[in-house]
Amino acid sequence: MQIEINRQISAEEYVTKTVNWPHSQLKDYNFAIMKLSGGLDSAMVLYMLCKYIREEQPDLSVVPMTHNDWVKPFQIKWAEKVLNWMRNEFPDVKILN
């Protein structure tokens, strides 16, 4: 499966990349555990994972994990915002608490 990622650079131009998802590694599992910091990188990986689940493996559940880091106490707050957005965007994907 290939997933296209579009990122708006300006009002006129867009960048498109193709990512090869390691789907063969997920076929034997019922859930995927993912560290979610609330940052852009982990949010994009979660987005790609949810898109993969919707299109290829709907029985796969996501178990997000975030920890409270005293150096970065904002991670839980932003991770919750990312999770809420993903749950709204992918209501058919099972994202566990």
Side-chain angles (χ1 to χ4, degrees):
M1 174 179 159
Q2 292 187 341
I3 300 173
E4 286 189 17
I5 302 170
N6 296 315
R7 179 173 57 95
Q8 186 173 351
I9 292 180
S10 68
E12 294 82 28
E13 51 186 331
Y14 292 87
V15 172
T16 302
K17 293 185 177 182
T18 301
V19 177
N20 289 320
W21 190 260
H23 62 278
S24 61
Q25 297 174 0
L26 295 172
K27 290 291 184 192
D28 296 332
Y29 297 95
N30 296 325
F31 60 90
I33 299 173
M34 195 193 138
K35 165 105 173 48
L36 184 65
S37 68
L40 181 59
D41 294 349
S42 63
M44 284 304 302
V45 172
L46 180 56
Y47 180 87
M48 291 187 306
L49 179 59
C50 289
K51 188 171 171 88
Y52 165 78
I53 290 170
R54 174 184 278 168
E55 295 175 3
E56 301 286 330
Q57 194 175 345
D59 59 330
L60 188 68
S61 299
V62 179
V63 180
M65 61 176 262
T66 303
H67 62 87
N68 194 8
D69 186 342
W70 65 274
V71 178
K72 300 176 183 177
F74 51 84
Q75 285 185 338
I76 289 178
K77 172 185 157 185
W78 289 104
E80 287 175 350
K81 290 179 181 284
V82 169
L83 284 172
N84 288 336
W85 189 90
M86 294 295 173
R87 286 183 175 119
N88 287 330
E89 186 71 16
F90 298 97
D92 51 330
V93 174
K94 188 172 183 181
I95 301 174
L96 304 176
N97 289 331

XYZ file of all heavy atoms in Angstrom:
810
model
N 0.839 -1.184 0.000
C 0.000 0.000 0.000
C 0.876 1.236 0.000
O 1.875 1.293 0.691
C -0.862 -0.012 1.250
C -1.660 1.226 1.435
S -2.665 1.096 2.903
C -2.962 2.787 3.194
N 0.519 2.214 -0.763
C 1.222 3.477 -0.773
C 0.273 4.560 -0.294
O -0.894 4.580 -0.651
C 1.732 3.807 -2.165
C 2.831 2.877 -2.610
C 3.431 3.325 -3.916
O 2.834 4.095 -4.656
N 4.614 2.841 -4.202
N 0.793 5.432 0.544
C -0.002 6.522 1.107
C 0.585 7.828 0.606
O 1.790 8.042 0.694
C 0.036 6.484 2.648
C -0.537 5.164 3.152
C -0.715 7.657 3.237
C -0.379 4.974 4.625
N -0.247 8.699 0.084
C 0.224 10.003 -0.348
C 0.047 10.996 0.787
O -0.967 11.008 1.470
C -0.562 10.497 -1.559
C -0.203 9.796 -2.831
C -0.837 10.451 -4.042
O -1.278 11.614 -3.933
O -0.878 9.790 -5.077
N 1.071 11.793 0.994
C 1.041 12.820 2.033
C 1.134 14.169 1.341
O 2.070 14.436 0.599
C 2.224 12.659 3.000
C 2.201 11.273 3.630
C 2.199 13.738 4.069
C 3.439 10.948 4.392
N 0.166 15.022 1.574
C 0.177 16.361 1.000
C 0.378 17.371 2.117
O -0.328 17.343 3.113
C -1.146 16.666 0.286
C -1.363 15.762 -0.892
O -0.449 15.544 -1.667
N -2.546 15.220 -1.016
N 1.348 18.245 1.962
C 1.614 19.273 2.963
C 1.564 20.616 2.258
O 2.249 20.830 1.261
C 2.979 19.058 3.599
C 3.334 20.100 4.627
C 4.608 19.748 5.355
N 5.741 19.555 4.497
C 6.649 20.497 4.207
N 6.540 21.694 4.705
N 7.671 20.221 3.420
N 0.753 21.528 2.756
C 0.619 22.830 2.121
C 1.833 23.674 2.459
O 2.161 23.886 3.623
C -0.657 23.519 2.587
C -0.927 24.799 1.856
C -2.268 25.382 2.214
O -3.068 24.755 2.877
N -2.499 26.596 1.785
N 2.516 24.150 1.431
C 3.674 25.009 1.633
C 3.243 26.470 1.561
O 3.607 27.270 2.372
C 4.771 24.707 0.596
C 5.350 23.327 0.857
C 5.864 25.745 0.643
C 6.418 22.920 -0.091
N 2.480 26.792 0.562
C 1.918 28.130 0.431
C 0.543 27.963 -0.196
O 0.111 26.844 -0.463
C 2.820 29.015 -0.429
O 2.800 28.558 -1.759
N -0.108 29.055 -0.450
C -1.435 28.972 -1.053
C -1.375 28.362 -2.445
O -2.331 27.765 -2.897
C -2.067 30.352 -1.099
N -0.257 28.481 -3.119
C -0.148 28.028 -4.504
C 0.514 26.660 -4.681
O 0.232 25.956 -5.634
C 0.634 29.051 -5.344
C -0.061 30.381 -5.500
C 0.154 31.295 -4.306
O 1.191 31.181 -3.640
O -0.740 32.106 -4.037
N 1.453 26.313 -3.807
C 2.215 25.088 -4.061
C 2.046 24.019 -2.979
O 1.853 24.323 -1.829
C 3.694 25.410 -4.279
C 4.295 26.257 -3.211
C 5.715 26.661 -3.543
O 6.427 25.943 -4.248
O 6.121 27.713 -3.055
N 2.104 22.769 -3.392
C 1.979 21.634 -2.507
C 3.120 20.656 -2.775
O 3.645 20.593 -3.887
C 0.662 20.882 -2.744
C -0.548 21.657 -2.333
C -1.170 22.531 -3.198
C -1.074 21.504 -1.067
C -2.279 23.249 -2.830
C -2.191 22.213 -0.686
C -2.782 23.088 -1.571
O -3.877 23.794 -1.181
N 3.496 19.916 -1.755
C 4.507 18.879 -1.904
C 3.828 17.546 -1.667
O 3.060 17.400 -0.724
C 5.655 19.053 -0.890
C 6.598 17.865 -0.919
C 6.410 20.331 -1.192
N 4.056 16.573 -2.531
C 3.479 15.245 -2.374
C 4.610 14.229 -2.279
O 5.526 14.262 -3.078
C 2.573 14.888 -3.566
O 1.551 15.870 -3.654
C 1.964 13.511 -3.396
N 4.524 13.349 -1.285
C 5.491 12.269 -1.117
C 4.732 10.960 -1.046
O 3.580 10.916 -0.631
C 6.305 12.447 0.170
C 7.227 13.636 0.162
C 8.049 13.648 1.417
C 9.038 14.796 1.388
N 9.886 14.798 2.572
N 5.382 9.889 -1.419
C 4.794 8.562 -1.307
C 5.587 7.780 -0.270
O 6.810 7.762 -0.301
C 4.828 7.826 -2.656
O 4.093 8.615 -3.600
C 4.200 6.455 -2.550
N 4.877 7.130 0.637
C 5.499 6.349 1.696
C 5.098 4.896 1.529
O 3.916 4.594 1.347
C 5.031 6.855 3.089
C 5.610 5.999 4.189
C 5.402 8.317 3.269
N 6.049 3.989 1.564
C 5.738 2.563 1.546
C 5.542 2.096 2.982
O 6.471 2.168 3.788
C 6.861 1.765 0.874
C 6.904 2.012 -0.613
O 5.860 2.097 -1.250
N 8.085 2.140 -1.149
N 4.341 1.651 3.292
C 3.999 1.213 4.644
C 4.356 -0.262 4.804
O 4.052 -1.054 3.924
C 2.499 1.433 4.862
C 2.088 1.235 6.270
C 1.508 0.134 6.803
C 2.232 2.163 7.339
N 1.281 0.327 8.127
C 1.713 1.547 8.490
C 2.767 3.443 7.427
C 1.704 2.181 9.727
C 2.744 4.066 8.666
C 2.218 3.437 9.784
N 4.995 -0.644 5.922
C 5.400 -2.051 6.111
C 4.216 -2.933 6.513
O 4.177 -3.530 7.583
C 6.438 -1.958 7.230
C 6.003 -0.774 8.031
C 5.431 0.208 7.023
N 3.211 -3.025 5.639
C 1.958 -3.702 5.974
C 2.134 -5.188 6.241
O 1.391 -5.771 7.010
C 0.921 -3.473 4.891
C 1.312 -4.015 3.556
N 2.137 -3.338 2.712
C 0.995 -5.175 2.946
C 2.326 -4.053 1.622
N 1.647 -5.159 1.726
N 3.115 -5.823 5.635
C 3.280 -7.261 5.857
C 3.643 -7.553 7.305
O 3.354 -8.634 7.818
C 4.347 -7.828 4.923
O 5.594 -7.208 5.177
N 4.246 -6.604 7.998
C 4.612 -6.801 9.394
C 3.419 -6.715 10.332
O 3.476 -7.176 11.463
C 5.661 -5.773 9.806
C 6.953 -5.903 9.034
C 7.926 -4.791 9.354
O 7.649 -3.907 10.154
N 9.078 -4.824 8.721
N 2.322 -6.128 9.890
C 1.163 -5.935 10.758
C 0.099 -7.013 10.595
O -0.802 -7.120 11.419
C 0.530 -4.566 10.480
C 1.386 -3.354 10.829
C 0.718 -2.082 10.336
C 1.638 -3.284 12.316
N 0.173 -7.814 9.562
C -0.880 -8.779 9.249
C -1.112 -9.813 10.346
O -2.207 -10.325 10.494
C -0.589 -9.501 7.927
C -0.725 -8.602 6.721
C -2.168 -8.233 6.486
C -2.316 -7.415 5.223
N -3.603 -6.805 5.098
N -0.087 -10.141 11.128
C -0.210 -11.176 12.155
C -0.654 -10.643 13.510
O -0.712 -11.395 14.477
C 1.133 -11.898 12.328
C 1.544 -12.645 11.074
O 0.649 -13.061 10.312
O 2.755 -12.802 10.846
N -0.982 -9.366 13.596
C -1.297 -8.757 14.893
C -2.724 -8.212 14.920
O -3.291 -7.871 13.895
C -0.309 -7.633 15.204
C 1.108 -8.137 15.340
C 1.984 -8.109 14.265
C 1.556 -8.671 16.536
C 3.279 -8.592 14.387
C 2.843 -9.156 16.671
C 3.702 -9.112 15.585
O 4.975 -9.581 15.710
N -3.274 -8.115 16.147
C -4.610 -7.552 16.353
C -4.556 -6.084 16.761
O -5.559 -5.391 16.717
C -5.362 -8.331 17.430
C -5.615 -9.758 17.023
O -5.842 -10.034 15.855
N -5.569 -10.664 17.973
N -3.384 -5.635 17.231
C -3.255 -4.252 17.649
C -1.836 -3.761 17.389
O -0.909 -4.563 17.262
C -3.619 -4.068 19.130
C -2.762 -4.858 20.073
C -1.595 -4.308 20.594
C -3.109 -6.138 20.442
C -0.798 -5.039 21.455
C -2.320 -6.871 21.305
C -1.170 -6.316 21.816
N -1.706 -2.455 17.288
C -0.410 -1.799 17.115
C -0.259 -0.772 18.225
O -1.137 0.073 18.418
C -0.331 -1.125 15.753
N 0.839 -0.864 18.966
C 1.132 0.108 20.020
C 1.983 1.211 19.410
O 2.947 0.944 18.706
C 1.880 -0.560 21.189
C 1.020 -1.660 21.797
C 2.272 0.482 22.238
C 1.723 -2.486 22.849
N 1.598 2.455 19.696
C 2.313 3.572 19.115
C 2.563 4.655 20.138
O 1.650 5.059 20.854
C 1.484 4.149 17.959
C 2.297 5.043 17.106
S 1.258 5.968 16.021
C 2.092 7.516 16.173
N 3.809 5.120 20.226
C 4.153 6.232 21.116
C 3.710 7.520 20.440
O 4.087 7.806 19.313
C 5.663 6.262 21.359
C 6.158 7.553 21.950
C 6.480 7.423 23.393
C 7.146 8.650 23.995
N 6.593 9.924 23.765
N 2.888 8.267 21.130
C 2.352 9.521 20.604
C 2.784 10.667 21.517
O 2.363 10.736 22.668
C 0.821 9.442 20.525
C 0.117 10.623 19.910
C 0.492 10.760 18.434
C -1.382 10.473 20.053
N 3.637 11.532 20.988
C 4.126 12.662 21.790
C 3.228 13.880 21.663
O 3.302 14.787 22.486
C 5.545 13.039 21.343
O 5.515 13.579 20.036
N 2.409 13.906 20.613
C 1.600 15.079 20.342
C 2.245 15.987 19.313
O 1.661 16.974 18.895
N 3.459 15.630 18.902
C 4.159 16.411 17.883
C 3.752 16.005 16.481
O 3.014 15.033 16.270
N 4.270 16.728 15.514
C 3.904 16.512 14.116
C 4.326 15.130 13.628
O 3.566 14.460 12.921
C 4.517 17.602 13.239
C 4.201 17.524 11.757
C 2.693 17.585 11.522
C 4.912 18.618 11.004
N 5.532 14.683 13.982
C 6.022 13.392 13.484
C 5.127 12.233 13.916
O 4.688 11.439 13.087
C 7.451 13.116 13.965
C 8.462 14.085 13.391
O 8.111 14.840 12.469
O 9.607 14.090 13.866
N 4.849 12.155 15.203
C 4.027 11.035 15.676
C 2.586 11.180 15.211
O 1.907 10.181 14.952
C 4.112 10.888 17.199
O 3.597 12.025 17.862
N 2.103 12.411 15.062
C 0.741 12.616 14.549
C 0.627 12.121 13.104
O -0.360 11.481 12.731
C 0.354 14.092 14.638
N 1.648 12.376 12.293
C 1.630 11.914 10.902
C 1.698 10.394 10.818
O 1.025 9.779 9.994
C 2.787 12.538 10.111
C 2.556 13.980 9.747
S 1.031 14.260 8.813
C 1.255 13.212 7.400
N 2.510 9.774 11.666
C 2.591 8.306 11.659
C 1.253 7.719 12.085
O 0.771 6.745 11.493
C 3.743 7.798 12.553
C 3.701 6.291 12.688
C 5.083 8.237 11.978
N 0.613 8.309 13.098
C -0.701 7.823 13.516
C -1.725 8.008 12.392
O -2.556 7.131 12.158
C -1.169 8.540 14.780
C -2.529 8.118 15.322
C -2.586 6.609 15.599
C -2.877 8.908 16.568
N -1.662 9.125 11.687
C -2.559 9.352 10.557
C -2.372 8.266 9.493
O -3.332 7.694 8.996
C -2.310 10.738 9.950
C -3.201 11.027 8.772
C -4.461 11.571 8.965
C -2.788 10.751 7.482
C -5.292 11.843 7.884
C -3.607 11.002 6.395
C -4.861 11.550 6.606
O -5.673 11.788 5.539
N -1.119 7.980 9.159
C -0.841 6.950 8.151
C -1.310 5.585 8.629
O -1.847 4.796 7.854
C 0.650 6.913 7.819
C 1.125 8.130 7.069
S 2.833 8.043 6.474
C 3.752 7.657 7.926
N -1.118 5.305 9.924
C -1.567 4.027 10.480
C -3.092 3.922 10.403
O -3.629 2.887 9.998
C -1.079 3.881 11.919
C -1.482 2.601 12.646
C -0.967 1.360 11.923
C -0.960 2.640 14.079
N -3.804 4.978 10.773
C -5.270 4.954 10.706
C -5.757 4.801 9.268
O -6.725 4.072 9.010
C -5.844 6.223 11.334
S -5.678 6.295 13.127
N -5.101 5.464 8.349
C -5.468 5.343 6.933
C -5.237 3.911 6.450
O -6.075 3.346 5.751
C -4.667 6.341 6.113
C -5.097 6.441 4.681
C -4.402 7.617 4.013
C -4.632 7.613 2.534
N -5.820 8.293 2.135
N -4.124 3.315 6.849
C -3.832 1.926 6.494
C -4.899 0.993 7.066
O -5.419 0.119 6.368
C -2.450 1.516 7.012
C -2.248 0.035 7.007
C -1.958 -0.645 5.829
C -2.390 -0.714 8.179
C -1.796 -2.015 5.812
C -2.228 -2.072 8.173
C -1.931 -2.725 6.993
O -1.791 -4.090 6.983
N -5.246 1.191 8.335
C -6.247 0.339 8.983
C -7.579 0.450 8.250
O -8.225 -0.557 7.970
C -6.393 0.703 10.473
C -5.127 0.279 11.230
C -7.625 0.046 11.079
C -5.059 0.795 12.651
N -7.987 1.655 7.938
C -9.265 1.860 7.242
C -9.279 1.145 5.891
O -10.258 0.522 5.518
C -9.509 3.348 7.040
C -10.741 3.623 6.186
C -10.915 5.081 5.918
N -11.579 5.687 7.073
C -11.685 6.980 7.259
N -11.141 7.820 6.401
N -12.320 7.458 8.312
N -8.193 1.217 5.157
C -8.167 0.703 3.789
C -7.739 -0.758 3.678
O -8.148 -1.443 2.743
C -7.224 1.562 2.940
C -7.722 2.983 2.781
C -6.734 3.871 2.057
O -5.666 3.382 1.617
O -7.031 5.082 1.943
N -6.918 -1.251 4.601
C -6.304 -2.562 4.419
C -6.591 -3.580 5.518
O -6.677 -4.766 5.251
C -4.774 -2.412 4.304
C -4.329 -1.537 3.161
C -4.484 -2.197 1.811
O -4.390 -3.438 1.736
O -4.699 -1.469 0.829
N -6.667 -3.141 6.767
C -6.768 -4.089 7.877
C -7.690 -3.544 8.975
O -7.247 -3.157 10.040
C -5.364 -4.380 8.439
C -5.309 -5.571 9.352
C -3.872 -5.893 9.770
O -2.914 -5.415 9.182
N -3.746 -6.710 10.786
N -9.007 -3.528 8.714
C -9.948 -2.893 9.645
C -10.063 -3.567 11.011
O -10.602 -2.967 11.939
C -11.277 -2.922 8.900
C -11.123 -3.926 7.832
C -9.658 -4.020 7.507
N -9.550 -4.771 11.167
C -9.618 -5.443 12.463
C -8.441 -5.087 13.371
O -8.387 -5.514 14.524
C -9.694 -6.963 12.285
C -8.506 -7.521 11.530
O -7.948 -6.795 10.688
O -8.138 -8.678 11.770
N -7.514 -4.271 12.898
C -6.358 -3.857 13.695
C -6.751 -2.674 14.581
O -7.375 -1.721 14.121
C -5.215 -3.450 12.764
C -3.862 -3.156 13.400
C -3.253 -4.433 13.981
C -2.922 -2.548 12.368
N -6.416 -2.752 15.866
C -6.681 -1.661 16.808
C -5.383 -0.903 17.091
O -4.298 -1.463 16.998
C -7.215 -2.208 18.129
O -8.420 -2.887 17.932
N -5.524 0.354 17.480
C -4.373 1.182 17.834
C -4.366 1.382 19.346
O -5.391 1.723 19.939
C -4.434 2.561 17.143
C -3.244 3.413 17.537
C -4.507 2.406 15.639
N -3.211 1.156 19.959
C -3.026 1.423 21.381
C -2.011 2.561 21.485
O -0.808 2.341 21.383
C -2.507 0.178 22.141
C -2.320 0.482 23.610
C -3.432 -1.009 21.928
N -2.493 3.811 21.650
C -1.554 4.925 21.769
C -0.994 5.002 23.179
O -1.690 4.703 24.152
C -2.417 6.146 21.455
C -3.791 5.741 21.838
C -3.872 4.245 21.647
N 0.278 5.358 23.286
C 0.863 5.562 24.612
C 1.615 6.880 24.636
O 2.260 7.262 23.666
C 1.758 4.398 25.008
C 2.942 4.141 24.104
S 3.997 2.841 24.724
C 5.255 3.792 25.528
N 1.441 7.571 25.738
C 2.125 8.840 25.978
C 2.554 8.847 27.425
O 1.848 8.334 28.282
C 1.175 10.033 25.720
O 0.685 9.952 24.391
C 1.872 11.350 25.898
N 3.711 9.386 27.686
C 4.138 9.458 29.083
C 4.304 10.911 29.494
O 4.479 11.797 28.665
C 5.427 8.659 29.312
C 6.594 9.157 28.530
N 7.418 10.145 28.991
C 7.067 8.812 27.304
C 8.355 10.382 28.101
N 8.164 9.597 27.065
N 4.241 11.139 30.787
C 4.369 12.479 31.334
C 5.844 12.737 31.612
O 6.399 12.199 32.550
C 3.536 12.614 32.603
C 3.355 14.050 33.017
O 3.724 14.959 32.283
N 2.796 14.266 34.186
N 6.469 13.524 30.779
C 7.884 13.855 30.906
C 7.991 15.202 31.606
O 7.420 16.193 31.152
C 8.503 13.910 29.507
C 10.000 14.107 29.523
O 10.545 14.545 30.557
O 10.631 13.827 28.492
N 8.721 15.264 32.705
C 8.801 16.517 33.454
C 9.510 17.610 32.653
O 9.323 18.791 32.903
C 9.464 16.308 34.808
C 10.905 15.894 34.730
C 11.385 14.624 34.589
C 12.042 16.755 34.767
N 12.744 14.632 34.531
C 13.187 15.926 34.647
C 12.220 18.124 34.889
C 14.470 16.439 34.646
C 13.507 18.630 34.884
C 14.617 17.792 34.770
N 10.313 17.224 31.665
C 10.970 18.210 30.813
C 10.008 18.717 29.733
O 10.095 19.854 29.292
C 12.233 17.594 30.154
C 12.906 18.570 29.223
C 13.206 17.125 31.223
N 9.085 17.846 29.313
C 8.111 18.208 28.274
C 6.692 17.902 28.776
O 6.020 17.022 28.256
C 8.392 17.418 27.005
C 9.763 17.666 26.419
C 9.990 16.776 25.222
C 11.372 16.954 24.664
N 11.637 16.050 23.551
N 6.213 18.632 29.772
C 4.897 18.324 30.354
C 3.725 18.589 29.407
O 2.613 18.167 29.678
C 4.829 19.243 31.576
C 5.748 20.373 31.250
C 6.851 19.782 30.408
N 3.980 19.248 28.294
C 2.932 19.577 27.332
C 2.565 18.390 26.441
O 1.570 18.434 25.724
C 3.380 20.742 26.449
C 4.744 20.524 25.839
C 4.889 19.792 24.675
C 5.874 21.034 26.458
C 6.137 19.572 24.112
C 7.131 20.825 25.902
C 7.267 20.088 24.725
N 3.356 17.312 26.464
C 3.120 16.205 25.539
C 1.751 15.562 25.721
O 1.084 15.235 24.739
C 4.212 15.144 25.668
C 5.512 15.572 25.029
C 6.558 14.481 25.036
O 6.506 13.551 25.834
N 7.515 14.595 24.145
N 1.324 15.363 26.940
C 0.020 14.720 27.172
C -1.105 15.596 26.629
O -2.025 15.111 25.970
C -0.170 14.392 28.662
C 0.762 13.245 29.050
C -1.617 14.052 28.972
C 0.713 12.844 30.491
N -1.022 16.885 26.876
C -2.054 17.817 26.383
C -2.174 17.736 24.861
O -3.277 17.601 24.319
C -1.703 19.241 26.818
C -2.567 20.314 26.214
C -2.045 21.683 26.618
C -2.491 22.719 25.633
N -1.926 24.036 25.918
N -1.046 17.785 24.145
C -1.085 17.776 22.689
C -1.391 16.389 22.142
O -2.051 16.271 21.107
C 0.204 18.354 22.119
C 0.247 19.821 22.358
C 0.999 20.477 23.293
C -0.543 20.821 21.722
N 0.724 21.820 23.260
C -0.220 22.056 22.300
C -1.498 20.785 20.719
C -0.813 23.253 21.904
C -2.091 21.967 20.318
C -1.748 23.186 20.907
N -0.959 15.358 22.834
C -1.295 13.997 22.402
C -2.807 13.783 22.470
O -3.397 13.159 21.588
C -0.559 12.969 23.247
N -3.457 14.302 23.512
C -4.913 14.188 23.630
C -5.610 14.923 22.479
O -6.602 14.435 21.936
C -5.382 14.740 24.971
C -5.047 13.839 26.141
C -5.402 14.450 27.487
O -5.749 15.656 27.557
O -5.331 13.716 28.478
N -5.095 16.078 22.116
C -5.681 16.824 20.993
C -5.534 16.042 19.690
O -6.471 15.989 18.885
C -5.030 18.198 20.864
C -5.384 19.154 21.993
C -4.683 20.487 21.814
C -4.995 21.437 22.936
N -6.310 22.030 22.864
N -4.364 15.440 19.476
C -4.143 14.628 18.274
C -5.095 13.435 18.275
O -5.730 13.129 17.262
C -2.670 14.160 18.188
C -2.492 13.104 17.111
C -1.752 15.348 17.933
N -5.227 12.755 19.412
C -6.129 11.599 19.501
C -7.571 11.986 19.228
O -8.291 11.275 18.513
C -6.016 10.930 20.874
C -4.777 10.075 21.085
C -4.692 9.624 22.537
C -4.775 8.881 20.153
N -8.009 13.094 19.775
C -9.388 13.553 19.524
C -9.607 13.826 18.044
O -10.648 13.456 17.482
C -9.698 14.805 20.355
C -9.843 14.490 21.819
O -10.151 13.360 22.205
N -9.599 15.485 22.660
N -8.640 14.452 17.401
C -8.775 14.738 15.980
C -8.814 13.440 15.174
O -9.637 13.290 14.274
C -7.606 15.619 15.506
C -7.815 16.124 14.122
C -8.438 17.284 13.768
C -7.431 15.479 12.904
N -8.450 17.403 12.393
C -7.837 16.306 11.837
C -6.777 14.297 12.592
C -7.615 15.990 10.506
C -6.557 13.965 11.266
C -6.968 14.804 10.243
N -7.935 12.494 15.511
C -7.891 11.210 14.791
C -9.192 10.431 14.979
O -9.697 9.822 14.038
C -6.715 10.351 15.249
C -5.364 10.899 14.914
S -5.037 10.996 13.160
C -3.477 11.859 13.189
N -9.731 10.444 16.178
C -10.987 9.729 16.425
C -12.134 10.343 15.624
O -13.024 9.620 15.165
C -11.300 9.720 17.920
C -10.420 8.762 18.692
C -10.786 8.708 20.163
N -9.998 7.696 20.833
C -9.162 7.947 21.837
N -9.014 9.177 22.301
N -8.480 6.956 22.386
N -12.122 11.652 15.454
C -13.141 12.306 14.628
C -12.923 12.038 13.148
O -13.874 11.861 12.393
C -13.162 13.818 14.882
C -13.763 14.151 16.225
O -14.623 13.440 16.731
N -13.298 15.235 16.819
N -11.680 12.031 12.728
C -11.346 11.824 11.316
C -11.518 10.361 10.888
O -11.888 10.086 9.766
C -9.900 12.272 11.068
C -9.463 12.248 9.634
C -10.103 13.342 8.787
O -10.652 14.304 9.342
O -10.033 13.218 7.551
N -11.253 9.439 11.814
C -11.325 8.002 11.533
C -12.241 7.315 12.543
O -11.780 6.539 13.388
C -9.918 7.376 11.600
C -8.955 7.911 10.594
C -8.053 8.904 10.932
C -8.944 7.413 9.300
C -7.149 9.399 9.997
C -8.043 7.904 8.359
C -7.151 8.895 8.703
N -13.550 7.590 12.503
C -14.455 6.991 13.503
C -14.551 5.476 13.364
O -14.951 4.794 14.323
C -15.796 7.663 13.214
C -15.703 8.122 11.805
C -14.253 8.437 11.564
N -14.186 4.929 12.218
C -14.253 3.487 11.991
C -13.004 2.763 12.469
O -12.974 1.531 12.483
C -14.473 3.208 10.495
C -13.481 3.946 9.618
O -13.027 5.042 10.008
O -13.175 3.445 8.522
N -11.970 3.490 12.886
C -10.748 2.871 13.384
C -10.817 2.811 14.909
O -11.125 3.806 15.564
C -9.500 3.681 12.945
C -8.227 3.119 13.579
C -9.386 3.659 11.423
N -10.530 1.653 15.450
C -10.596 1.457 16.907
C -9.299 1.960 17.537
O -8.259 1.318 17.441
C -10.838 -0.012 17.236
C -11.113 -0.254 18.700
C -11.533 -1.688 18.936
C -11.868 -1.889 20.390
N -12.250 -3.281 20.662
N -9.384 3.134 18.181
C -8.257 3.706 18.906
C -8.588 3.559 20.394
O -9.493 4.198 20.901
C -8.032 5.178 18.537
C -7.776 5.320 17.025
C -6.865 5.754 19.321
C -7.684 6.735 16.534
N -7.848 2.704 21.067
C -8.134 2.380 22.461
C -7.657 3.497 23.389
O -6.807 4.302 23.044
C -7.481 1.060 22.833
C -7.861 -0.135 21.943
C -7.078 -1.372 22.334
C -9.351 -0.406 22.023
N -8.201 3.501 24.615
C -7.797 4.494 25.616
C -6.619 4.016 26.400
O -6.416 2.939 26.712
C -8.944 4.787 26.583
C -10.049 5.565 25.902
O -9.779 6.316 24.968
N -11.253 5.391 26.344
